[in-house]
């Protein structure tokens, strides 16, 4: 089944404790992206990757890191999480990044930073 | 001015009625337009895409695009309780700085 998977789905952590949220897709997509979703603010892009070893900042990159060593994986790293990073996170992928490409979303990771 | 604007709602319609969801965008260079449905706590799911002016129909859903007015809408005919969700409008601008921008969504409630 074609899908985007994320782990963990739920995470409660404390301020300053490094964490990684994994994202994997099995559709051979070149484009991958991370979003956070907060009430009243909608989906905001954190980082994106056009292909392996090619990553760039989105609209809200502060406090996050990413890497793209393999085509299928795009982990999101929070080196020192803070409470303002409490949010619902979505990974997404598409074949390329063209006007006609559909983005497929993972199931989401609900992160709480205490 | 937000790049993509939607009324947050909730928009309440009775079962069987037509729900009309609206979205305006600010970038005249936008090329493609998407409607995603998102149930509470779940991931967005694409339901319609439209690329040229006019109407596009898919089952009970019709997307309408008017580039001159920078306006895109989604009509849901014969609304069902299962249509109750938040509907996200997304706008794509291609070019050297391609970007997909989401609106904050309109919450739709279909009442019995």
């Amino acid at each position: 089944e074609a899908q985007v998977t994320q782990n963990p789905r739920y995470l409660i952590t404390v301020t300053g404790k490094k964490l990684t949220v994994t994202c994997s897709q099995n559709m051979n997509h070149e484009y991958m992206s991370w979003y956070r979703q907060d009430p009243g603010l909608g989906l905001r892009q954190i980082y994106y990757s056009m292909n392996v070893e090619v990553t760039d900042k989105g609209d809200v990159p502060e406090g996050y890191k990413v890497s793209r060593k393999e085509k299928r994986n795009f982990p999101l790293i929070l080196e020192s999480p803070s409470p303002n990073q409490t949010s619902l996170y979505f990974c997404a992928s598409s074949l390329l990044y063209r006007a006609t490409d559909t983005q497929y979303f993972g199931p989401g990771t609900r992160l709480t930073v205490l | 001015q937000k790049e993509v604007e939607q009324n947050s709602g909730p928009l309440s319609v009775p079962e069987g009625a037509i729900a009309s969801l609206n979205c305006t965008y600010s970038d005249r260079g936008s090329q493609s337009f998407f409607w995603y449905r998102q149930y509470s706590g779940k991931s967005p799911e694409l339901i319609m895409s439209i690329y040229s002016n006019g109407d596009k129909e898919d089952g009970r859903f019709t997307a309408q695009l008017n580039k001159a007015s920078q306006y895109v809408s989604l009509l849901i005919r014969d609304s069902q309780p299962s249509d109750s969700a938040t509907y996200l409008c997304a706008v794509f601008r291609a070019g050297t700085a391609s970007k997909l921008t989401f609106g904050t969504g309109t919450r739709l409630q279909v009442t019995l």
Side-chain angles (χ1 to χ4, degrees):
Chain A
E1 181 190 354
Q3 60 183 350
V4 179
T5 57
Q6 294 179 229
N7 282 292
R9 295 289 314 281
Y10 303 90
L11 179 60
I12 300 174
T13 189
V14 295
T15 299
K17 186 176 181 181
K18 181 179 178 180
L19 67 92
T20 299
V21 183
T22 64
C23 173
S24 183
Q25 50 91 7
N26 63 0
M27 296 172 277
N28 202 36
H29 285 172
E30 293 195 0
Y31 181 87
M32 298 185 75
S33 178
W34 276 103
Y35 294 90
R36 60 178 290 174
Q37 188 174 37
D38 303 289
L41 297 177
L43 279 165
R44 294 181 292 166
Q45 191 178 53
I46 303 170
Y47 268 95
Y48 64 93
S49 170
M50 301 293 274
N51 212 327
V52 175
E53 303 291 2
V54 181
T55 62
D56 209 345
K57 297 177 181 178
D59 298 318
V60 289
E62 294 77 21
Y64 305 94
K65 284 176 58 177
V66 293
S67 67
R68 186 93 180 273
K69 293 183 171 58
E70 306 166 278
K71 199 172 191 178
R72 62 184 295 128
N73 296 323
F74 190 43
L76 178 69
I77 303 157
L78 285 72
E79 295 268 3
S80 182
S82 62
N84 65 12
Q85 292 178 299
T86 292
S87 188
L88 180 58
Y89 291 86
F90 290 104
C91 180
S93 74
S94 61
L95 183 60
L96 295 169
Y97 198 52
R98 301 169 300 188
T100 54
D101 286 321
T102 299
Q103 288 215 22
Y104 296 88
F105 285 83
T109 296
R110 187 167 291 280
L111 172 65
T112 301
V113 183
L114 302 174
Chain B
Q1 181 187 8
K2 288 183 180 178
E3 292 182 64
V4 179
E5 292 210 56
Q6 298 180 254
N7 188 318
S8 62
L11 172 66
S12 186
V13 300
E15 184 177 5
I18 296 175
S20 178
L21 305 161
N22 304 315
C23 171
T24 58
Y25 60 95
S26 60
D27 188 341
R28 286 194 173 273
S30 300
Q31 292 182 295
S32 52
F33 307 85
F34 305 90
W35 284 99
Y36 285 82
R37 178 176 62 200
Q38 186 177 25
Y39 293 112
S40 181
K42 303 296 185 183
S43 58
E45 170 194 17
L46 181 71
I47 53 172
M48 288 288 287
S49 58
I50 186 166
Y51 310 116
S52 55
N53 280 329
D55 294 359
K56 179 181 178 183
E57 187 175 318
D58 184 1
R60 295 187 296 112
F61 300 98
T62 299
Q64 299 175 316
L65 175 61
N66 183 327
K67 288 188 178 181
S69 300
Q70 296 174 245
Y71 177 91
V72 58
S73 64
L74 179 70
L75 300 178
I76 306 174
R77 289 181 299 282
D78 188 23
S79 295
Q80 302 296 309
S82 59
D83 295 326
S84 297
T86 295
Y87 290 80
L88 306 176
C89 173
V91 175
F92 187 90
R93 180 195 70 225
T96 53
S98 298
K99 187 174 174 64
L100 178 68
T101 303
F102 286 85
T104 54
T106 297
R107 188 157 66 93
L108 173 67
Q109 291 179 336
V110 180
T111 58
L112 295 172

